[in-house]
Amino acid sequence: MNTPKHVPPTPAAAGRSLSYLGFAGVVVAYLAIIKVSGILLGGWADEDDILTTRGVVFTMLIPLGLALVFTYGVVAALGWWRPVMTDDRPVNRWVWLVPAILFVAILLGINYSALSEKGWLFIVCLLVATQFVGWGEEGMFRGIGVTVLRRHGLREGQVALWSSFVFGVVHLSNAFTGGGAGAIAQAAVVSLAGYFFYLTRRVSGSNAVNSVTHGLFDFSLISGSAILLDQQGYAGTFAPLLAYPILAIVLLVRRRSIEPARHDGTDPVTAAP
């Protein structure tokens, strides 16, 4: 009688399992770290905005750094480094247009003049803080979130939808921290951005490109907005905002050619991965 050989799990299936409820708990903990530590540190330092270097450090950099450590601590505990950091489900090469448009918007959206007036230390701290945002949120939602959904057997279209939806819903928490009703519109826009970052992850085959892009995009939005002290109106502010409808139209028109063609007669958009 032949004894079946032990077959090691594939990289995509290796590591611990995580239920939907478990993922929800991880997301809540991640959000709580940012919100609670931000409030406590900001109150302790008597800082409540990011107009100064000190404000950026205590209200952004430290809270986001703690959340970043938590995110990749969860990845390590689950043993999910490979599925979180790499993506083995490619899309057609034209999808590189998504990060390309985002990078053009970033370059146009940064208010170089206003930043130069703030000084190099402010710029470095803001750049690091926004990279913490990018790597933390992409690690949590496009990394852990996408991996959870795939492991539960969802089709790739469902993975894209639900990972982006959850990403947007989480930002509704801004309604309780000064965002008001505007947080609803922000959540819708963020969900759309989540889909762009999801496609960037897939076309690049890595969670690093979308993480860096996400951080730079936020850096551009902040530098181009009116929150910078003594800043006048800046036309480039509209570049990142225009990227959303442009990408939405392109992806709507070409939605059927995102996925590589399959040879089994199934729909590449809805077929199970």
Side-chain angles (χ1 to χ4, degrees), residues 119-136:
W120 68 268
L121 186 57
F122 177 90
I123 296 172
V124 170
C125 288
L126 183 60
L127 185 60
V128 172
T130 50
Q131 280 300 305
F132 281 178
V133 175
W135 284 87

Side-chain angles (χ1 to χ4, degrees), residues 91-98 195 199 246-260 268-269:
V91 290
N92 287 318
R93 293 184 63 83
W94 74 263
V95 179
W96 273 109
L97 185 64
V98 173
Y195 181 56
L199 289 177
I246 291 172
L247 283 171
I249 292 171
V250 170
L251 293 171
L252 182 63
V253 171
R254 303 207 61 184
R255 65 189 183 280
R256 292 293 178 182
S257 61
I258 292 174
E259 301 284 343
V269 175

Side-chain angles (χ1 to χ4, degrees), residues 10 12 39-40 63 68-69 71 74 83 96 117 172 227 233 259 262:
T10 62
I39 293 172
L40 292 177
L68 182 70
V69 171
T71 297
V74 171
W96 273 109
E117 295 177 4
L172 286 174
I227 67 171
E259 301 284 343
R262 295 173 64 99

Side-chain angles (χ1 to χ4, degrees), residues 47-209:
E47 296 285 350
D48 59 1
D49 56 47
I50 57 172
L51 297 177
T52 64
T53 302
R54 194 168 183 269
V56 171
V57 169
F58 285 103
T59 64
M60 284 189 69
L61 199 146
I62 297 177
L64 292 167
L66 294 173
L68 182 70
V69 171
F70 170 75
T71 297
Y72 290 96
V74 171
V75 174
L78 291 170
W80 284 9
W81 286 110
R82 183 178 179 84
V84 165
M85 295 307 300
T86 63
D87 199 298
D88 59 358
R89 312 205 180 184
V91 290
N92 287 318
R93 293 184 63 83
W94 74 263
V95 179
W96 273 109
L97 185 64
V98 173
I101 290 176
L102 291 176
F103 267 105
V104 170
I106 289 167
L107 293 175
L108 293 175
I110 295 174
N111 191 332
Y112 302 95
S113 176
L115 283 174
S116 67
E117 295 177 4
K118 304 296 290 185
W120 68 268
L121 186 57
F122 177 90
I123 296 172
V124 170
C125 288
L126 183 60
L127 185 60
V128 172
T130 50
Q131 280 300 305
F132 281 178
V133 175
W135 284 87
E137 292 191 345
E138 293 306 303
M140 180 60 64
F141 299 101
R142 255 65 63 190
I144 299 173
V146 164
T147 301
V148 167
L149 294 170
R150 285 175 174 172
R151 283 174 174 245
H152 280 80
L154 270 66
R155 298 189 299 273
E156 205 56 33
Q158 295 172 316
V159 171
L161 172 64
W162 288 110
S163 63
S164 301
F165 176 76
V166 171
F167 182 51
V169 167
V170 166
H171 284 76
L172 286 174
S173 62
N174 292 333
F176 304 102
T177 56
I184 298 175
Q186 182 193 23
V189 172
V190 166
S191 292
L192 189 60
Y195 181 56
F196 301 153
F197 294 133
Y198 160 83
L199 289 177
T200 300
R201 167 189 164 96
R202 286 190 62 189
V203 75
S204 66
S206 166
N207 209 57
V209 177

